[in-house]
Amino acid sequence: MPTEKPADTTVFNRRESEARSYCRSFPTVFTKANGSIMTAEDGREYIDFLAGCSSLNYGHNDPDMKAALIEHVSNDGIAHGLDMFTTQKAAFLETFERLILKPRGMDYKVMMTGPTGTNAVEAAIKLARKVTERRNVIAFTNAFHGMTMGSLALTGNSGKREGAGGGSLADVTHMPFENAMGENDTLEYIEWALDNPSSGIDAPAAFIVEPVQGEGGLNAASKEWLQGIQRIARKHGALFIIDDIQAGIGRTGTYFSTEEYGLDPDMITQAKSFSGMGLPFAALLIKPEHDIWKPAEHNGTFRGNTHAFVTARVALEKFWADDAFSKEVQRKGEYLRERLQAMADLIPDATLKGRGMMRGIDVGSGELAGEICAKCFENGLIIETSGAHDEVVKVLAALTTPDEIFTKGLDILEAALRDAIGNNQIAAE
Amino acid sequence: MPTEKPADTTVFNRRESEARSYCRSFPTVFTKANGSIMTAEDGREYIDFLAGCSSLNYGHNDPDMKAALIEHVSNDGIAHGLDMFTTQKAAFLETFERLILKPRGMDYKVMMTGPTGTNAVEAAIKLARKVTERRNVIAFTNAFHGMTMGSLALTGNSGKREGAGGGSLADVTHMPFENAMGENDTLEYIEWALDNPSSGIDAPAAFIVEPVQGEGGLNAASKEWLQGIQRIARKHGALFIIDDIQAGIGRTGTYFSTEEYGLDPDMITQAKSFSGMGLPFAALLIKPEHDIWKPAEHNGTFRGNTHAFVTARVALEKFWADDAFSKEVQRKGEYLRERLQAMADLIPDATLKGRGMMRGIDVGSGELAGEICAKCFENGLIIETSGAHDEVVKVLAALTTPDEIFTKGLDILEAALRDAIGNNQIAAE
Amino acid sequence: MPTEKPADTTVFNRRESEARSYCRSFPTVFTKANGSIMTAEDGREYIDFLAGCSSLNYGHNDPDMKAALIEHVSNDGIAHGLDMFTTQKAAFLETFERLILKPRGMDYKVMMTGPTGTNAVEAAIKLARKVTERRNVIAFTNAFHGMTMGSLALTGNSGKREGAGGGSLADVTHMPFENAMGENDTLEYIEWALDNPSSGIDAPAAFIVEPVQGEGGLNAASKEWLQGIQRIARKHGALFIIDDIQAGIGRTGTYFSTEEYGLDPDMITQAKSFSGMGLPFAALLIKPEHDIWKPAEHNGTFRGNTHAFVTARVALEKFWADDAFSKEVQRKGEYLRERLQAMADLIPDATLKGRGMMRGIDVGSGELAGEICAKCFENGLIIETSGAHDEVVKVLAALTTPDEIFTKGLDILEAALRDAIGNNQIAAE
Amino acid sequence: MPTEKPADTTVFNRRESEARSYCRSFPTVFTKANGSIMTAEDGREYIDFLAGCSSLNYGHNDPDMKAALIEHVSNDGIAHGLDMFTTQKAAFLETFERLILKPRGMDYKVMMTGPTGTNAVEAAIKLARKVTERRNVIAFTNAFHGMTMGSLALTGNSGKREGAGGGSLADVTHMPFENAMGENDTLEYIEWALDNPSSGIDAPAAFIVEPVQGEGGLNAASKEWLQGIQRIARKHGALFIIDDIQAGIGRTGTYFSTEEYGLDPDMITQAKSFSGMGLPFAALLIKPEHDIWKPAEHNGTFRGNTHAFVTARVALEKFWADDAFSKEVQRKGEYLRERLQAMADLIPDATLKGRGMMRGIDVGSGELAGEICAKCFENGLIIETSGAHDEVVKVLAALTTPDEIFTKGLDILEAALRDAIGNNQIAAE
């Protein structure tokens, strides 16, 4: 019977497409992972401050999720059931309703889209166009919503867009995110553009916004700005869509990233940490009045990953049955803020970005940020950059990271940053 | 600690989006599954002739894949590692190279796209446009390639297309599949349209074709027609893409559905049964000279589902180390053909569709096909329809289905078909 | 006061864009023209078998139109009045109603679009989309409808389309014209494509068709085929638009080119010979129930060229008050057919194209056709090619050409054709 | 022989499309016009402050142009010659080169597009896309560039855009014109959006700008802003296109509207007053290095209206042989500014718009502006509104308007404005 062989490290270059990316920053072969620690084949351990780009908010291989998954598999629990009714889906839906929707007074239908964030986004914009019978969707500078053609049209990044090689990225208007234009008020600009019947901006089907732009540089929109976008959307008959794939599911300190902002979005996307354990899983939350899909009008083979139903249910019961976890995340986020502020103070013009446990430092250049991250990896810390110029060092540690490990990781980061600054100063002298 | 509760059957209506579909045909709640049998909460067992729409070619919960997955999870094997190097990915790539590519003399790079078929298709057409610097992609009548905007533009089905609510489905020309126009030679038409500089058809970046159209009615293209499409593509500087998501991975009797057709596609998509166990997993095979992606130019959070690497490797080693499985599938496919032909003979003008273990009967109307499938379900058989008018009763049994169960399932189908014909005759009299 | 200087022939190369075209085929400088004769600066006279590409159906400088225009200008008649009410517009509309619409039992509103054919086509497709709330427009192989982006998307010719340099030519489906696919029945194909809900062809807003494709090779659609297109359009809720810009206004022997075909188009375009004298002028005829434009929703500075109203009215009164002119054109068209048939018989596989006074010979290659036309010009005859490969020698003489001149021109053509064949035979030997 | 009949005023309602517009503001039937006076059928004379929307900068029926046109027609001068070489085209090109290009040190090729402004714009954007191999074109708020699909995509006005009924208006980014966002610096925004690789704005093929937005509310861009746009275009590899259709040809006091701004546009459009006499005529001026058109790659039946060549040449020789006319226009423009300022001072918050002889008053509401214009017409003055809300009363008198008539027209306007304000004040009390 098959067994795992030791890694043939040349096979990646030989057989894996040039599109591969993170492996270029972290050139070692990982074998296993637990909590906030990833272990390489050579036995070396790394603290993980990337957490699957926020897909592992509860850390790697949470013991309760593991146990539930092993039990499910051992019992011949369904692995793939298309979108048929299953015991596991029912349990998940019931739990999501009981622990997430009801306590927050939220009434949404759950659409199991294909198990990727981009699929949830594609479903959202298709539905917004169906509902409003309009085509234009407004997305924001530095936005990242995915790589399939519908989501890619929403994405700001020119490098990503050029990957489409010239196919149609139509029917989207790109608008400035909060603070994108220095001191200029972007809400005022957006409202002006939509109010002006001669702006050339077609009446929008929807606004789609990430409350904190994960790939775009950890830009965190304020309560007031998001309320403004929602108000403008309502005024112009457009749906208001929150893309909470990276910022949601506890990352900012509450289950949804905008719970305390008094918003009432028409749709919310869920993916990344939605399964709890890093399994592919995504959904679109839809206000019931907009759930006008015909059966199978948007479908997909892997909708409703049953393994993910099992682990996602465990995650909800373990972390969201009361507010203890939320408070813990907020406490850690504050500690993170303090540590990063101290580091930012070491670099002229560096600024703090993000909120909650989704924070980073804009160090001013992608070169410096890259140097810092590379040094961290040498010293056993997995950490990545973000932003239009990769200029933000981004901390996306698991929310469950023990204090000791969290401190140790931040110490490594601070040392790398001091080291990089020192080198640069020497280079400048 | 959390345990699974008995299903609250009302929760689906209350909380799941109207887009849900298969659950409408099979209104019971499933709990577990093994091989070709699915078991409902009430203990009733069903023979599965749907097999996750060809995602479960090796049946449910294959014991060796289960064991490997449980071992992997138990050992804190990585669940989510973005696209970092992992022991499991290396093992999978090495195995795929050794058992699939090399014996067939094929040289392809493997691109881990997002773990859904539509994502592999989107990556393929983006890359074709990059490579050729052209925009137009030619797809075929009755084609189904997925529901995200790029793939949806390729899809023939008007109902699916209308789900986009008016967004751009541009840059695609739809051409007739083999036999789509009765006796007219569609190759001749396609070649004429591309040769004619005034046809209005822009020079294509690619042709994308399903060798057997799974959703489109089990239309199986001939060797000659596919060779013709490849020849026309080459002649006009277009890439030739095989979408083997539903027909590949053994379904027609060989690993790739066109192995015996002497083709040399520029790209091949893989999904559905690619993980072996029904886990979300997809890839795009790319000829090395076309692998011009920049790092991360197409990315995604769930690329390279590590659980799927484990089970997919086991599947390759268990079923594709020699040609025994292939011969077994071909034998079963022949038996299936005989049984379906006997049934088709009962209905005037009914025709056999498909090939290998991907066959069905065009019974002439969606109403009759639906009636047959509903009767089957009453009698313990899960089976679905296909085709532009849902007029094809489609058998997609696991390739590993034991002969006894296979025969039993076909008996149920034949009885349902006889019953439905009888009713219709009575109704007609 | 200014006077005309003798032509500085180098100024064209120095100052006129490379887009210039006909002047390359006819490299002399013309000064004046009367009836079917154009006179160059050097005094040489040429018989005109091009007639402004059917813009001069009544010949150059018809004496009655000239007189009316001179009187109008002398009296300070309005030259430019935007779309204000003018005496001249009223007179034109009244005459068009009395002599064209009423006798044919046709009820249409006249929309003065910008004074070019392409503008009338753009208005037609915009209106069809407004009326039907659909986007897709069906156009045909070898179609030519103009060079602005909306019309260009309808145009078959790849060279013309590439002139757009990659901008959007979306929302059009190109279908085969009658006989475009050899013996295959294109109506059957078109109907099949629209009836098939999985053909990928979106429900059309309109069909737009040239009854005789002027630029596309003088392909003349039959009564039965056009009735078929109209029937399919009606069946699928699409508008039926006749583009009569080149074939209409007497060219085929009746005012509209399809008068005897029992059709009832929703819109008809008019341009080219619409002014009678070759002045820029175009209109869109719209069935009243479709005239849902809001004021100025489609506008333009030069709508309603008042000079053209004057000459167009004279043309209607002079040529269309009874059926004498129509019969005369039909007689000449028959003579033309006989002469061209005799010439076609000289070339193996040559075929006659077109109908009425819009005829030509497909000589099999653009090279031969070009050689024939060049020889004609040497011998005092202006004549051009047509077709996807410029393979058709096209006779578009003024409908008023006196028999003697018409015969002389055809004699020159026949001699050039015999000469070219002889050369080619010698070259082949 | 045909003669003009007295106008049948009902024929317009009966037969002219609902798209008609100006006739709704000026409900009388005009018969003739001379200089700045239009005369209705009932003999009433109107001062014309609309001048064919700037198509009649030299007034109606200039005696020298009339004489030249009558002479041309009388002598059987060519009326329609496609784009063949003609004596008249040579004379026009030579004169344009001698009097316009050379004195200004400008080196441009002249492309005779179809004889409408929108056709010149379509040619410009097609060529920009060919030259740069990019698709995106940047246009501005309140821009109006025409009604065919390519130009319409550039146009800001939502009412006009909706006339397309949902067809593709892709490949354009709309940016704020100078001062469009109150005190915010729009150059800064535009530069930021293009510099930011994650703004979602694709690299542009071109910027197209009207130096004074004629339909958009007489917004006059400053020298500094236009230089800024040119600088940004150069920086980003985009062509810089001036649409001088309404503001050019003397309207602002110089032949081109930006002669004194130190710009070096890649292309300039010409139409409206280009023929001198209001005949359909348009051209695109192209820097020689960008004139990469293939022959006939953009063509059209009415390119090079020969009647217009004659009158346009006379216009150039009469008005642009020295700077006397230019100075005269500047003097009148200054008088106009003074008179309008005095009127604007009567209305709280009213502002002066435009420059040269292209000026108006933003009276704050379309209702008030419409009331003023209606009163003017009652009192014998033809004048129209402009702007996104029709809130600007726009004076577009012929540049040749005699002082006495000009003063009289302005007196009528002032009286109407005072009257309207008075009524509104009474209504408000």
Side-chain angles (χ1 to χ4, degrees), chain A residues 122-123 125-131 293-294 297-298, chain B residues 147 149 152 157-167 169:
Chain A
E122 295 256 352
I125 59 174
K126 285 169 63 176
L127 184 56
R129 285 171 176 150
K130 271 185 72 76
V131 167
W293 290 113
K294 292 181 202 159
E297 202 172 24
H298 185 94
Chain B
M147 300 298 270
M149 292 297 279
L152 190 60
N157 190 288
S158 59
K160 304 289 189 221
R161 293 170 65 86
E162 283 158 16
L169 296 177

Side-chain angles (χ1 to χ4, degrees), chain B residues 410-421:
Chain B
L410 289 168
D411 290 347
I412 293 173
L413 174 59
E414 182 168 338
L417 184 141
R418 285 178 184 275
D419 199 12
I421 301 167

Side-chain angles (χ1 to χ4, degrees), chain C residues 2 14 83 97 272 301 317, chain D residues 2 14 21 97 272 301 317:
Chain C
R14 200 167 66 239
D83 74 343
E97 181 183 57
K272 291 201 184 274
T301 295
E317 292 181 343
Chain D
R14 200 167 67 238
S21 55
E97 180 183 59
K272 290 198 183 278
T301 295
E317 293 181 343

Side-chain angles (χ1 to χ4, degrees), chain B residues 285-349:
Chain B
L285 308 184
I286 306 168
K287 289 213 155 193
E289 63 266 32
H290 300 317
D291 184 25
I292 62 169
W293 289 114
K294 293 182 202 158
E297 202 171 24
H298 185 94
N299 62 15
T301 294
F302 296 117
R303 281 167 301 161
N305 178 352
T306 316
H307 286 188
F309 284 140
V310 172
T311 56
R313 181 183 46 75
V314 173
L316 295 179
E317 293 182 345
K318 178 168 180 178
F319 293 103
W320 300 101
D322 58 34
D323 65 357
F325 181 65
S326 187
K327 285 186 173 161
E328 173 72 4
V329 175
Q330 290 166 27
R331 181 187 63 79
K332 274 184 195 154
E334 187 55 20
Y335 173 68
L336 174 60
R337 193 193 61 69
E338 286 165 16
R339 290 293 308 264
L340 293 180
Q341 186 63 60
M343 297 183 215
D345 290 346
L346 300 170
I347 307 175
D349 299 325

Side-chain angles (χ1 to χ4, degrees), chain A residues 46-82:
Chain A
Y46 294 83
I47 296 175
D48 183 7
F49 270 22
L50 180 50
C53 280
S54 208
S55 297
L56 294 160
N57 284 355
Y58 313 112
H60 292 268
N61 284 311
D62 176 89
D64 297 309
M65 299 184 209
K66 266 179 61 175
L69 179 58
I70 289 171
E71 187 191 356
H72 175 78
V73 175
S74 303
N75 289 341
D76 280 338
I78 285 164
H80 186 286
L82 293 164

